[in-house]
Amino acid sequence: MKMTARMYATWVIVDDIMDNSTSLSSIHDWAGMYRIALEGEPAADARFRAIWELFASESWDSRVLDLAKFSLRKYLEATISIRAIEIQRKSMTVDEYFDLRRWNDAMPAMVYFAAHVDPDLREPLLEIHDHPAFEQAIKYCGIATGILLDLCNLNRRYQEICQYTNITRIIERAEGIDFPQAVARTIEYFHEFEDKMAGALDEIGAINPELSTAMKHLQGGTERWLTMMRRVGRRYGKLTPAPPNQATHT
């Protein structure tokens, strides 16, 4: 679990660097180093150490590792595609965005990491992996989380270069409506996909309650984290000067 947490701490930085870059060649370079680390090999940049150490670990069930690697390859492909659309201002439909965003926020990978750190989830996950309800659950989880991330990014006080590919802005352009209407439509989409996800998780719960509960906790924990980041002024808010002799947020 500690090794997975260290990997996440590094991954957030790498993801933010790509999301704040307007150089496609640089984004490809970062994605390339991530791919090397994903195979358990040292990348040229030492900041990828925690990533390659996790994937080089012998603690993995090889079947779960293959699933995690697949989802992260999809994450990298989706990230590059979204950054290219952002930088080049390409046209994109709402459905096209959802198809990319579901992988770009890497929620499917979180399910596989859960099965890695909790051995009791491994066999239930592998048994139900090909069930339609599981595919629907991780799909809708990814889309709903992506929508929520985009809502948190609206009018944020930190600069981030992802305004063109924010779902609210895409809706605004696609439907020809004003910003408040687009925000309302975005929220409608969020509840729609959360409801679809809940239905799929209930179906999974009839087969394996423990796995369904774990997936609900992953989604709920992510939403709680986003709410906290928005409220306390770290990832999405303005930095507040620290009292004397105390470290500032970084």
Side-chain angles (χ1 to χ4, degrees):
M1 188 176 290
K2 289 181 179 179
M3 188 177 288
T4 303
R6 286 198 296 271
M7 184 280 299
Y8 258 92
T10 299
W11 185 9
V12 168
I13 297 170
V14 172
D15 187 68
D16 281 357
I17 288 172
M18 289 193 289
D19 281 347
N20 284 281
S21 175
T22 57
S23 167
L24 277 178
S25 62
S26 175
I27 292 166
H28 277 282
D29 287 344
W30 281 90
M33 286 188 285
Y34 194 107
R35 288 191 179 97
I36 292 171
L38 185 59
E39 298 307 320
E41 300 293 337
D45 193 308
R47 285 172 286 190
F48 285 82
R49 181 182 181 89
I51 299 176
W52 67 257
E53 283 183 338
L54 174 65
F55 291 104
S57 172
E58 296 181 355
S59 60
W60 283 91
D61 180 299
S62 61
R63 300 165 297 174
V64 176
L65 178 60
D66 287 343
L67 292 172
K69 284 183 175 181
F70 172 80
S71 69
L72 290 171
R73 292 186 190 106
K74 297 287 286 185
Y75 151 77
L76 289 169
E77 292 170 4
T79 298
I80 291 171
S81 295
I82 288 177
R83 295 310 300 151
I85 292 166
E86 176 73 33
I87 293 165
Q88 299 170 357
R89 294 296 193 266
K90 295 180 179 179
S91 62
M92 169 184 261
T93 67
V94 170
D95 287 341
E96 287 170 341
Y97 180 72
F98 286 154
D99 285 342
L100 290 172
R101 196 65 162 113
R102 60 168 291 206
W103 295 108
N104 168 248
D105 62 29
M107 288 302 291
M110 290 187 68
V111 178
Y112 304 130
F113 287 133
H116 172 56
V117 301
D118 184 353
D120 290 340
L121 292 177
R122 292 175 190 173
E123 291 304 325
L125 171 67
L126 293 167
E127 289 173 4
I128 205 171
H129 182 263
D130 294 326
H131 194 287
F134 180 83
E135 169 60 22
Q136 290 172 353
I138 60 170
K139 175 182 177 180
Y140 299 141
C141 175
I143 295 174
T145 303
I147 293 170
L148 189 58
L149 281 161
D150 284 5
L151 284 168
C152 286
N153 270 313
L154 289 175
N155 301 324
R156 66 184 291 183
R157 296 179 183 178
Y158 288 165
Q159 181 64 34
E160 186 166 281
I161 308 170
C162 60
Q163 292 304 308
Y164 184 81
T165 46
N166 186 295
I167 185 57
T168 300
R169 300 301 184 185
I170 295 171
I171 293 170
E172 197 176 8
R173 294 192 302 269
E175 300 186 13
I177 56 180
D178 61 24
F179 180 72
Q181 290 175 311
V183 171
R185 185 72 183 103
T186 301
I187 294 170
E188 289 175 3
Y189 271 125
F190 172 74
H191 290 298
E192 175 187 336
F193 285 108
E194 279 245 310
D195 289 345
K196 289 181 177 179
M197 180 187 65
L201 288 175
D202 285 345
E203 192 172 345
I204 292 172
I207 303 170
N208 190 289
E210 291 78 11
L211 180 60
S212 177
T213 298
M215 294 176 72
K216 289 177 182 177
H217 286 173
L218 283 171
Q219 175 75 356
T222 301
E223 292 183 9
R224 183 176 181 181
W225 174 75
L226 288 169
T227 302
M228 181 187 73
M229 291 295 99
R230 186 77 178 184
R231 180 185 300 130
V232 304
R234 292 181 180 172
R235 188 175 176 87
Y236 296 95
K238 184 179 181 180
L239 291 177
T240 302
N245 301 321
Q246 291 189 23
T248 57
H249 296 311
T250 57

